[in-house]
């Protein structure tokens, strides 16, 4: 199961955080900081897996990360997930973002947090991988976008 | 109607797993983000967001807020929450929004991140939701069914007993016509199978996997042309769980596993992910030999992969597999050894885990050693990453009590420094925590604790126990005193404890006096003294306060003045009163040796070189004595031919010097200097030796893992050494090589000093080995075969004598005329004309001859470049024939030899130039270099000609051009200094100026300024450390004060100054 999905930049500023287990607000922030410290210290040419920080569950959990330009994408998973599988899932996620935003960059993630969450929700649900097919994910996201629009149009004028 | 249902359904599952949706980005959010990015400090951000949140709070509770505004507030709240601010007041509004609005609002409303576990969920009855979801399960759209299945699974995780009645629904989902829904249901089964077995489903899973692997799924499911890889992974996991320890179930899946292993051949990450799961499954289920073999081959692919991620998985697979078959580790022992020293901690850890699994009685010592090595990294890791105080202290406690005295000394030191150097307000908490935890530790059993932990504890308690007001100081004293009474406590630790007691003893005189009394009869003098101090201090509280101020900040304590400048006045008074000036150790040593020349220099050349080399290594002593041995001018003990039995390190039984046998045709005796010099060439650790080391390590690690003789890389593993042996001593090989076995020695020293028989043997056995042939010895001075060499002998010895003197000093004192007269015709000063054009203009020393033989003569010249010393070697062909394959090798232990060029072919009577850039990182008064020239006069007949020489620090010193102000600033910033009175040259009008100028000429110094009777001079070591000299005329002497950031540099420069002035 996926415990958390974190995106932060090279300076440790969180750009997206999604926890699939309950932690207090404080702990969540600490987890982000701890994860950043663990991940940012690693060279580029060593492996993409490392043991999770203590706050998120210690050695039972793995951090699987990829570093794209200014952003770190970190998935914190327990032992029931396949490392290489998750590594490719990150790739799928980023490719999907890239498709949706057309050349995704850090700013897209800042100003369209909601959309990123939407995309993620189509991929991972409650810590479980829901969909891994990029075109399928995009279809779903677009379908929902359409639905929103039709709703806005249909809504009585007082509400909009 | 269906539309409405669909909307609700999309929103519902999301409700349970905190799906987040939001409306279009609004202007307010944009503004918020913009203002946050413009802020400069965390504090400002905090204020801004607090304002924002309170504004939002007001807005949400106002009844006039429209749906749209609400939506927008939720998105902003979400952003604030991500930055780590509490926006929980919006949760309830979010739920309200989710209930009221259309789909858009619903999605925004369900953003609350911990929805499934927050208290709000309890208000909704589980059962109600479940019935809803069950309705949804029959929905037509597959995506909705899929989400519903996951929602059910989530419910199963939250409340397993409430979902029990719907297991049939799971089965239905597994048989769903849509593969996506089926995939989702696998999550459930993976979980369910762990609890109770579903053996009856094995057939279905196998069929599904078969279909997937066989490519029966629509192409949409392909990822990088692998059919549904994630689905395969999931299925393989399920199968391995099912087949575990169950032969009949396992038999069902052999076929499909085989198929999977066979199909997954492409080189993409995701195929490796499948392969990895396959391998794990094969080793988990009831074994089948054929499959095991294939899986083992797969592991090989992983482990040997250059991709680090795959290597990691390979190690992981190995770790898993060795439990079943320890022999597999043997195949990959070399890779494992390499991974042990990998820079990546993840890899290293996994390797240790693997080693842990293969530990047995025979290799336990080696493996534990490796693990302890790793343990030493733990403190460093904790220091860098510690999330909070309590965790940090607790971990360090564990490290100290487990690692104990095996830890390197700097671990406790760094830990204590960390505690001590923090600011009082900030780190008091950390200290308090440390005090508390140590008191708890001390109250328990202490006899098993390692000494270093006890020391750390007593220091911390002594220093910081007063911070903890709730603890009675008497209690602390009692605990520490208890420790003192224990037998297991070493006397060093007792000293630590006692000093801790001294610090906290204030006001507790009664307890302390008893203790001091009992210890004052201790046999340990240090303890006795401390007990005395303790008694005095505890009796006089004022003195105690003054000596041990409580809680004084560390930066308040004066930094030790390493230059001892507070003694300056005292020193100058003493000097003025006629006291002998302080002499650094090496000078004292020089003066201790007897000066046998009645009226010579106060610093005899021969002796100085002797004593200096003596400081470096015991073997060097004989080098310089060898150099001077033939000289009549020098007066050292002649050690030539004397077997050295005792060295600095004790008895030297291994050292054998092979003297050439008398019955050799040439009967040549190598000049001892050359022989020694050649012997000193450090055996460079070539790949071969390293490899042997690794193999040895491998054999000791993997000993006892099955029948190794076939697998082991060592070949003779039937009787493997029980422990990792040390590298063979370089000289062992030379002594044992006379047996003529194929023992392959990388040691160049043994090569050159080996007698001729052996070199023939080597020449034939290993063609690549540059053999020293007989003719290489022909050039030696004592040779009686060549007729024209008798004269050469004289020249040579004379030159040698000169050289040693020249090389010991600086280049100005070289007397080129005398040398040149006696030189062979090819060596002359016009050799400098041969220098490459770009080097010609550089300042250079005179050309000195290094060595020669009938075919070649070598001479060298030093060129002073700003950033390096260029050592130019002139190789002259003295014969009438072409000399081929000339290769020069230069080594020097103390210097960095940068680059050199290679000469290939040398025409008759021609000279070739070869130059090396030398760098000196650490100053040494003198350094020697050695080298060899190998060449071929006839094809297949390689001769080698060794040479050696000395360079002094003076060659590496360059003027440092600074202004007086810069000099002043620099002077204050430098820490290491040396003072000495030198001879003042009084023969001219201005003694100071004359002296400084002569120093400047000799040593390439830069005279910055001369004011009255004081002068300041600056230089640097190539482009590295500066050295500042401050000179003052003090009567008939020159008081020289040198400062440098480098501890050894002033000594070196002072030494050369002395010499320069002495020779003047």
């Amino acid at each position: 199961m996926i415990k958390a999905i974190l995106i932060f930049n090279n300076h440790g500023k969180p750009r997206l955080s999604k926890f699939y287990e309950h932690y207090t607000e404080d702990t969540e922030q600490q987890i982000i900081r701890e994860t950043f410290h663990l991940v940012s210290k690693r060279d580029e040419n060593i492996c993409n897996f490392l043991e999770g920080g203590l706050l998120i569950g210690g050695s039972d959990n793995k951090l699987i990360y990829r570093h794209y330009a200014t952003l770190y994408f970190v998935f914190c998973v327990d032992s029931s997930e396949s490392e290489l599988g998750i590594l490719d899932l990150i790739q799928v996620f980023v490719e999907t973002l890239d498709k949706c935003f057309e050349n995704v960059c850090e700013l897209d993630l800042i100003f369209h947090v909601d959309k990123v969450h939407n995309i993620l929700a189509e991929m991972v649900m409650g810590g479980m991988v829901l969909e891994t097919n990029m075109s399928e994910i995009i279809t779903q996201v677009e379908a929902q976008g359409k639905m929103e629009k039709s709703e806005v149009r249909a809504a009585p004028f007082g509400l909009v | 109607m269906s539309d409405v249902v669909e909307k609700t359904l999309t929103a519902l599952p999301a409700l349970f797993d905190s799906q987040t949706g939001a409306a279009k980005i609004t202007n307010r959010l944009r503004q918020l983000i913009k203002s946050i990015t413009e802020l400069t400090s965390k504090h400002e951000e905090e204020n801004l967001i607090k304002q924002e949140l309170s504004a939002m709070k007001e807005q949400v509770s106002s009844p006039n807020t429209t749906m749209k505004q609400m939506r927008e507030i939720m998105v902003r709240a979400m952003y604030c929450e991500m930055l780590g601010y509490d926006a929980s007041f919006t949760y309830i509004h979010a739920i309200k929004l989710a209930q009221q609005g259309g789909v858009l609002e619903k999605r925004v409303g369900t953003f609350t991140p911990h929805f499934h576990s927050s208290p709000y969920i309890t208000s909704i009855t589980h059962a109600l939701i479940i019935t809803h979801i069950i309705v949804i399960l029959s929905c037509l759209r597959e995506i909705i069914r899929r989400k519903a299945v996951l929602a059910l699974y989530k419910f199963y995780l939250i409340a397993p007993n409430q979902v029990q009645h719907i297991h049939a629904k799971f089965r239905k989902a597994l048989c769903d016509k849509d593969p996506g829904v089926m995939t989702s249901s696998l999550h459930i089964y993976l979980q369910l199978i762990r609890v109770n077995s579903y053996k009856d489903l094995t057939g279905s899973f196998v069929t599904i996997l078969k279909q997937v692997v066989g490519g029966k799924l629509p192409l949409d499911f392909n990822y990088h042309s692998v059919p549904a890889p994630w689905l395969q992974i999931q299925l393989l996991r399920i199968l391995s769980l099912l087949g575990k320890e169950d032969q009949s179930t396992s038999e069902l899946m052999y076929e499909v596993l085989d198929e999977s292993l066979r199909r997954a051949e492409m080189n993409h990450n995701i195929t490796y992910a499948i392969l990895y799961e396959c391998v794990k499954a094969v080793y988990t289920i009831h074994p089948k030999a054929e499959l095991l073999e294939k899986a083992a081959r797969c592991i090989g692919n992983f482990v040997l992969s250059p991709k680090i991620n795959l290597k990691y998985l390979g190690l992981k697979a190995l770790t898993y597999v060795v439990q079943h078959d320890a022999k597999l580790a043997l195949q990959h022992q070399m890779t494992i050894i390499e991974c042990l020293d990998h820079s990546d901690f993840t890899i290293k850890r996994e390797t240790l885990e693997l080693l842990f699994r293969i530990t047995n009685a025979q290799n336990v010592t080696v493996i534990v050693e490796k693990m302890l090595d790793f343990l030493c990294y733990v403190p460093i890791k904790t220091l860098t990453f510690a999330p909070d105080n309590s965790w940090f202290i607790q971990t360090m406690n564990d490290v100290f009590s487990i690692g104990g005295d095996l830890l390197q000394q700097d671990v406790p030191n760094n830990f204590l420094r960390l505690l001590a150097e923090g600011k009082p307000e900030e780190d008091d908490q950390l200290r308090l925590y440390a005090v508390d935890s140590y008191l708890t530790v001390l109250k328990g059993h202490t006899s098993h604790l390692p000494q270093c932990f006890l020391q750390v504890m007593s220091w911390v308690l002594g220093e910081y126990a007063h911070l903890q007001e709730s603890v009675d100081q008497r209690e602390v004293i009692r605990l520490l005193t208890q420790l003192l009474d224990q037998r297991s406590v070493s006397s060093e630790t007792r000293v630590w404890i006692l000093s801790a007691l001294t610090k906290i003893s204030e006001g507790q005189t009664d307890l302390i006096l008893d203790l001091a009394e009992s210890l004052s009869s201790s046999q340990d003098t240090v303890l006795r003294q401390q007990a005395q101090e303790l008694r005095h201090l505890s009796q006089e509280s004022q003195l105690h306060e003054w000596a041990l101020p409580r809680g004084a900040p560390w930066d308040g304590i004066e930094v030790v003045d390493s230059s001892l400048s507070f003694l300056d006045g005292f020193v100058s008074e003493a000097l003025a009163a006629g006291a002998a000036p302080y002499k650094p150790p090496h000078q004292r040593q020089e003066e201790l040796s007897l000066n046998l020349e009645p009226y010579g220099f106060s610093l005899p050349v021969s002796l100085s070189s002797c004593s200096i080399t003596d400081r470096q290594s015991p073997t060097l002593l004989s080098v310089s004595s060898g150099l001077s041995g033939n000289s009549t001018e020098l007066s050292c003990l002649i050690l030539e031919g004397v077997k050295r039995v005792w060295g600095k390190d004790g008895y030297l039984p291994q050292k054998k010097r092979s003297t050439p046998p008398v019955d050799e045709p040439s009967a040549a005796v190598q000049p001892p200097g050359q022989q020694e010099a050649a012997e000193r060439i450090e055996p460079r650790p070539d790949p071969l030796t390293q490899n042997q080391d690794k193999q040895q390590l491998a054999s000791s690690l993997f000993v006892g893992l099955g029948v190794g003789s076939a697998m082991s890389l060592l070949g003779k593993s039937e009787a493997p050494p029980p422990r990792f042996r040390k590298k063979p001593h370089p000289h062992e090989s030379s002594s044992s090589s006379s047996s003529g076995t194929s023992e392959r020695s990388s040691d160049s020293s043994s090569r050159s000093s080996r007698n001729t028989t052996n070199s023939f043997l080597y020449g034939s056995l290993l063609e690549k080995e540059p053999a020293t042939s007989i003719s290489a010895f022909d050039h030696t001075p004592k040779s009686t075969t060549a007729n024209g060499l008798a004269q050469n002998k004289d020249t040579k010895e004379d030159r040698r004598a000169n050289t040693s003197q020249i090389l010991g000093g600086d280049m100005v004192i070289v007397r080129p005329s005398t040398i040149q007269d006696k030189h062979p015709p090819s060596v002359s000063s016009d050799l400098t004309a041969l220098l490459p054009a770009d080097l010609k203009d550089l300042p250079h020393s005179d050309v000195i001859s290094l060595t020669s033989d009938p075919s070649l003569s070598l001479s060298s010249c030093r060129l002073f470049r700003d950033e390096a010393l260029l050592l130019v070697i002139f190789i002259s062909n003295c014969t009438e024939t072409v000399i081929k394959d000339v290769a020069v090798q230069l080594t020097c232990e103390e210097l960095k030899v940068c680059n050199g060029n290679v000469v290939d072919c040398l025409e008759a009577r021609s000279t070739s130039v070869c130059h090396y850039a030398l760098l000196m990182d650490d100053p040494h008064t003198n350094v020697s270099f050695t080298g060899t020239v190998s060449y071929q006069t006839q094809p297949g007949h390689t001769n080698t000609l060794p040479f050696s020489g000395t360079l002094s620090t003076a060659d590496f010193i360059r003027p440092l051009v600074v202004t007086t102000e810069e000099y002043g600033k620099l002077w204050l910033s430098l820490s290491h200094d040396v003072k000495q009175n030198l001879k003042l040259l009084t023969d001219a009008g201005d003694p100071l100026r004359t002296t400084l100028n002569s120093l400047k000429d000799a040593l390439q110094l830069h005279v910055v300024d001369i004011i009255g009777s004081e002068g300041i001079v600056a230089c640097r070591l190539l482009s590295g450390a500066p050295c500042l000299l401050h000179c003052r005329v003090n009567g008939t002497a020159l008081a020289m004060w040198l400062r440098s950031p480098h501890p050894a540099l002033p000594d070196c420069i002072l030494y050369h100054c002395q010499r320069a002035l002495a020779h003047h």
Side-chain angles (χ1 to χ4, degrees), chain B residues 1040-1059:
Chain B
M1040 177 93 79
W1041 189 356
L1042 298 95
R1043 276 195 175 187
S1044 165
H1046 200 292
L1049 189 57
D1051 263 358
C1052 285
I1053 290 179
L1054 186 63
Y1055 171 77
H1056 286 287
C1057 287
Q1058 271 178 316
R1059 292 187 56 107

Side-chain angles (χ1 to χ4, degrees), chain B residues 86 500 513 602 743 805 977:
Chain B
D86 180 34
L513 281 180
S602 63
E743 180 181 340
Q805 191 180 22
D977 67 354

Side-chain angles (χ1 to χ4, degrees), chain B residues 191-254:
Chain B
Q191 188 66 35
L192 285 178
I193 287 168
R194 281 174 217 268
V195 189
N196 32 20
S197 60
Y198 278 81
K199 303 275 184 197
D200 54 320
L201 283 175
T202 315
S204 322
F205 290 127
V206 169
T207 324
I208 297 171
L209 186 56
K210 243 181 220 163
Q211 285 172 351
V212 175
V213 174
K216 298 273 159 50
L217 285 183
L219 280 179
D220 290 354
F221 287 88
N222 281 12
Y223 174 80
H224 286 267
S225 57
V226 182
W230 284 277
L231 176 60
Q232 287 194 46
I233 291 169
Q234 201 84 317
L235 278 169
L236 285 167
R237 286 185 172 223
I238 290 178
L239 287 184
S240 67
L241 281 176
L242 281 172
K244 197 175 183 183
E245 289 158 11
D246 184 342
Q247 190 173 356
S248 57
T249 320
S250 298
E251 274 164 4
L252 289 173
M253 49 187 88
Y254 287 150

Side-chain angles (χ1 to χ4, degrees), chain A residues 2 4-7 48-49 62-68 71-77 82-98 119-120 123-124 129 131-132 134 137, chain B residues 223 230 270:
Chain A
I2 299 170
I5 295 172
L6 306 172
I7 304 177
N48 298 49
F49 320 121
K62 280 255 145 59
L63 298 178
I64 297 163
Y65 72 97
R66 271 178 185 268
H67 189 193
Y68 294 91
L71 292 174
Y72 283 98
F73 287 71
V74 187
F75 278 45
C76 180
V77 301
S82 147
E83 284 98 340
L84 285 178
I86 294 290
L87 204 58
D88 269 54
L89 193 70
I90 301 178
Q91 182 67 30
V92 172
F93 181 38
V94 175
E95 277 176 28
T96 315
L97 288 177
D98 196 52
I119 295 166
L120 191 58
M123 285 184 74
V124 180
V129 181
E131 180 61 71
T132 51
M134 186 162 73
I137 297 165
Chain B
Y223 174 80
W230 284 277
I270 203 75

Side-chain angles (χ1 to χ4, degrees), chain B residues 404-416:
Chain B
D405 299 328
L406 295 162
L407 289 175
Q408 284 155 1
Q409 188 53 43
D410 58 341
V411 174
N413 287 353
N414 284 339
F415 173 70
L416 291 183

